[in-house]
Amino acid sequence: MHPVVAQPEHHHGGPAGHGVPAADQPVYMGLPDERYLRPKFYVALALTLPVLGLAMGGMLWPHAFHRLPPGVSGWLQFALTTPVIFWAGAPFIRRWGKSIRERDSNMFTLTVTGTGAAYFYSVGALLFGAHFPAELRDAHGVPLYFEAAAFITTIVLLGQILEQRAHSRTDAAIRALMKLTPPAAHRLCADGTEEDVPLDSVKPGDRLRVRPGENLPVDGVLLAGGAEVDESMLTGEPLPVIKAVRDKLSAGTLNTTGSFIYEAERVGADTLLAQIIRLVAEAVESEAPIQRLADRVSNWFAPVVLGLAAATFLGWTLLSPAGGWLYGLLNAVAVLIIACPCALGLATPVSLVTGIGRGAQAGVLVKDAAALERLASATTLLIDKTGTLTAGRPQVIALETAPGFTETELLMFSAAAESASEHPLARAIVAAAQAAGLALPAVTGFTAEPGAGVKALVSGRAVVVGRAPASVHALHATATLIGVTVDGRAAGTIALADAIKPSTPGAIRELQKLGLRVVMVTGDRATAAKLVATELGLDGFHAEVTPARKQEIVREHQALGEQVVFAGDGLNDAPALAAANVGIAMGTGTDVAMHSAGLVLVKGDLAALVRAVRLSRAVMRNIRQNLFWAFAYNLAGLPLAAGLLYPFTGWLLNPMFAGAAMSLSSISVVANALRLRHARL
């Protein structure tokens, strides 16, 4: 890790300068880091599968399983389930204890209570089954529910891993940002010699040299030399900016050509890059954890269930004849088992996992499962221009020839002269010639001067490619114009611009049909932004904005009560991506953008954003359906489990049937979630 800046405070460890937290320390929603939960899930899954086989194998392959000696299956299930409950499920037990102490009911309250009831009831049945009432026993003894306890714990672990994995994306984004600055700087001494020094020893006023292809270590002002600096990390614009003496320079930007000397002004935590890092960290830290719908419902459902179980035990103990306490205990267990949120725990993660898989097929990579929930209710889409609406690289859009030259000659001469240059405009001209199928002649005497263009001999003719004179007619209001001369005569002008992606117009119309306001936010000039916004029929635009201003615009829309989606592809978009309700990055963009976003469009195609919105709404609709069925089974079975119908009908709910009802609700939830695999996007 480079000593780039004074680290922003960051409560998750990583690049925050506080070190990586212990793996078992709570980092999100009171649970440990994913790297602590993941091995527990693998072990739990490996132990749960044989428990399911032992519990259900007798129904599927009765001849094979009935050969086991009596009681062996139960003890094997006990041995396999115990580490799942008390080792793999230890974080949930701690979270359960906290919810009881703080009287803050949530899904863990019901989960641990239900799995605990199923586990300890099964242990009691294993040890004292002979003393249970005859009506509670079948041909194989008292039914056991170890498989339910193990399965619920395992599936809830999976859901929590998905959430923790999404939450860890912040540290990765900050690490990627910090890699933009070099670990050392080339400092000039008073006697004119040069020395390499660690970055944290650079002070304001130091003179630094930057060579071609190097990132700038600190903010400063240009003193000597020509410079073309790639500032796309700040503005998002792909073309390098020509810098003159006394112009400002920013840390993390890239020197494309030439060597120059500049004076350090802002170092460490004062640089613009450090501010961007701080914005990203603060944006995510200020984002409230998603309060899952299951938790909101559990907040009132858990106390009701626990109260009903206690009332069931007391009612049977006080109102029934001798031995009523045992019926009260078994009926209370039946209440806890049938209310155990297996289906509730499955409702969200199974739909999300299925939706994530469906999204991957549609070119939508879901990094943050909760982002799907937020995207479904989004109202405003703030979208970057360069690399998102447009291709993100300059392209030749027009050729204007002078008398005596054809378009083919103009393109051939200019491409040949530029073939040895690495400048983005040069690559665009060469790409246009290649696309036209032109064979480029031999080139000699190539020279390049930063900010002025290139000179070369092409088939013996002197070719100069540089900026077009101001008197040349503009072929496009926002184009970059390149002038070409051959043997001292003007050969013509080449117009280059960042073209709109072919899929963009249709995608914008579809997003607006889905009810989203689409507003462009760009660092480009106002004239260019207005033309693009008008051409695409956008609902508005913000131009010439900095990374910090992009984040402010997100906050302003959120302050109006809007649910904001931000889509971008550059480092300059990272603070806005982190601050938005949903950040969506282009798969063709920078690593920082993808780390800061909750969703990634794999091919950088806006049509995939349309599919992402449809997917999010389908997933949320599916989750609500699952929650309905989960509670429908519970609410229907609770009165019967408590024995409320016994005085009128003589019916009691055997815990075995309570377990069956719980399993049926789980099966219906899973089956409904799997329909998402075929959702039309």
Side-chain angles (χ1 to χ4, degrees):
M1 186 174 295
H2 308 322
V4 180
V5 295
Q7 309 297 348
E9 289 195 9
H10 186 55
H11 304 297
H12 297 215
H18 300 301
V20 177
D24 60 348
Q25 293 302 306
V27 295
Y28 183 58
M29 292 190 69
L31 293 178
D33 190 84
E34 177 220 352
R35 59 197 168 95
Y36 176 78
L37 296 177
R38 201 185 318 127
K40 289 183 176 292
F41 168 71
Y42 293 146
V43 172
L45 181 63
L47 296 176
T48 298
L49 291 177
V51 173
L52 291 173
L54 289 168
M56 302 178 181
M59 294 181 287
L60 302 176
W61 303 285
H63 298 294
F65 280 82
H66 286 174
R67 293 176 183 174
L68 289 173
V72 170
S73 175
W75 286 107
L76 285 174
Q77 292 180 54
F78 166 76
L80 293 168
T81 302
T82 299
V84 174
I85 296 294
F86 295 104
W87 181 76
F92 304 148
I93 295 175
R94 288 195 292 268
R95 188 68 179 84
W96 173 85
K98 183 179 179 182
S99 71
I100 298 298
R101 289 193 305 272
E102 298 179 357
R103 299 179 182 178
D104 178 24
S105 301
N106 51 51
M107 201 185 79
F108 299 113
T109 312
L110 278 176
T111 298
V112 176
T113 301
T115 55
Y119 175 82
F120 287 109
Y121 171 83
S122 300
V123 172
L126 198 60
L127 295 173
F128 309 109
H131 301 287
F132 278 45
E135 54 266 34
L136 297 180
R137 297 195 297 267
D138 59 20
H140 306 290
V142 179
L144 306 177
Y145 306 104
F146 288 119
E147 83 285 353
F151 180 71
I152 294 169
T153 302
T154 302
I155 199 67
V156 174
L157 262 174
L158 174 61
Q160 294 308 309
I161 286 172
L162 290 175
E163 291 198 26
Q164 301 294 359
R165 181 174 297 175
H167 191 61
S168 67
R169 73 189 190 275
T170 310
D171 287 345
I174 296 177
R175 284 193 296 271
L177 281 167
M178 296 188 68
K179 290 179 181 178
L180 291 172
T181 50
H186 313 303
R187 184 166 61 188
L188 299 180
C189 302
D191 58 3
T193 60
E194 184 177 313
E195 62 177 350
D196 288 349
V197 296
L199 203 57
D200 57 358
S201 67
V202 176
K203 302 294 188 294
D206 286 349
R207 292 185 303 149
L208 308 175
R209 182 184 299 279
V210 181
R211 301 187 177 97
E214 292 183 341
N215 291 88
L216 277 65
V218 297
D219 292 357
V221 60
L222 184 63
L223 295 179
E228 288 194 34
V229 180
D230 181 351
E231 294 186 334
S232 58
M233 60 159 284
L234 300 177
T235 65
E237 298 309 305
L239 297 180
V241 178
I242 297 175
K243 296 291 186 178
V245 173
R246 305 311 304 171
D247 280 350
K248 299 293 185 179
L249 301 168
S250 297
T253 56
L254 175 67
N255 178 29
T256 59
T257 58
S259 176
F260 62 85
I261 297 172
Y262 79 116
E263 180 181 324
E265 287 190 334
R266 292 192 299 271
V267 301
D270 296 327
T271 66
L272 184 57
L273 178 61
Q275 294 173 27
I276 294 176
I277 293 174
R278 202 154 40 240
L279 286 172
V280 173
E282 291 173 355
V284 181
E285 284 299 320
S286 65
E287 183 179 60
I290 290 299
Q291 181 72 23
R292 292 173 301 178
L293 183 57
D295 276 341
R296 292 198 294 270
V297 177
S298 297
N299 193 45
W300 63 265
F301 188 63
V304 169
V305 170
L306 295 175
L308 182 59
T312 298
F313 175 76
L314 291 175
W316 279 92
T317 300
L318 297 175
L319 301 178
S320 62
W325 70 270
L326 181 57
Y327 280 94
L329 176 63
L330 296 178
N331 285 332
V333 169
V335 168
L336 294 175
I337 290 178
I338 201 168
C340 183
C342 181
L344 183 60
L346 286 170
T348 299
V350 173
S351 292
L352 288 174
V353 169
T354 308
I356 288 170
R358 180 67 184 93
Q361 295 174 345
V364 180
L365 175 62
V366 180
K367 296 172 67 254
D368 181 355
L372 282 177
E373 176 183 348
R374 297 191 292 267
L375 182 58
S377 58
T379 59
T380 302
L381 170 62
L382 301 180
I383 191 164
D384 178 47
K385 178 178 75 71
T386 306
T388 307
L389 297 174
T390 65
R393 59 184 182 276
Q395 299 176 13
V396 174
I397 60 171
L399 299 168
E400 185 177 85
T401 60
F405 291 91
T406 66
E407 289 188 354
T408 299
E409 289 174 328
L410 175 63
L411 189 56
M412 179 192 68
F413 280 121
S414 59
E418 294 279 22
S419 60
S421 174
E422 290 299 319
H423 195 283
L425 294 180
R427 292 196 295 269
I429 293 173
V430 172
Q434 292 173 341
L438 299 182
L440 302 183
V443 178
T444 58
F446 173 85
T447 59
E449 183 178 343
V454 302
K455 300 177 182 178
L457 290 176
V458 180
S459 299
R461 304 183 70 176
V463 178
V464 178
V465 182
R467 293 193 176 271
S471 59
V472 174
H473 171 65
L475 302 173
H476 189 283
T478 61
T480 298
L481 300 179
I482 301 296
V484 183
T485 64
V486 178
D487 292 332
R489 291 176 53 205
T493 305
I494 302 173
L496 299 101
D498 188 11
I500 293 174
K501 294 178 183 177
S503 61
T504 296
I508 294 296
R509 289 193 295 271
E510 287 298 318
L511 290 167
Q512 290 171 332
K513 288 180 182 177
L514 289 170
L516 290 171
R517 289 185 64 247
V518 183
V519 178
M520 182 174 65
V521 182
T522 178
D524 202 359
R525 305 183 305 276
T527 53
K530 184 176 181 179
L531 284 172
V532 172
T534 302
E535 181 178 349
L536 294 176
L538 303 181
D539 298 300
F541 71 91
H542 301 271
E544 301 179 19
V545 297
T546 63
R549 178 57 186 152
K550 285 188 178 183
Q551 189 184 80
E552 289 175 2
I553 291 171
V554 170
R555 302 287 194 205
E556 289 168 3
H557 281 274
Q558 290 172 328
L560 296 174
E562 300 173 15
Q563 296 295 306
V564 178
V565 179
F566 191 96
D569 76 324
L571 184 153
N572 63 311
D573 299 319
L577 287 167
N581 299 92
V582 182
I584 299 180
M586 303 295 110
T588 52
T590 64
D591 289 343
V592 176
M594 286 186 275
H595 284 315
S596 302
L599 281 78
V600 176
L601 307 184
V602 177
K603 296 182 179 179
D605 187 347
L606 274 188
L609 179 52
V610 178
R611 295 193 289 271
V613 173
R614 290 174 177 161
L615 174 67
S616 68
R617 295 179 180 180
V619 168
M620 289 309 300
R621 185 165 55 248
N622 192 272
I623 289 175
R624 294 187 185 98
Q625 293 168 352
N626 286 347
L627 291 172
F628 169 79
W629 287 112
F631 282 102
Y633 283 104
N634 288 339
L635 294 175
L638 280 175
L640 184 59
L644 296 180
L645 302 182
Y646 182 77
F648 311 103
T649 63
W651 293 349
L652 287 176
L653 183 64
N654 189 309
M656 175 179 65
F657 295 109
M662 181 185 65
S663 299
L664 184 60
S665 67
S666 301
I667 291 171
S668 64
V669 162
V670 172
N672 186 52
L674 291 179
R675 294 191 305 114
L676 286 171
R677 292 185 301 179
H678 308 291
R680 294 185 63 182
L681 305 179

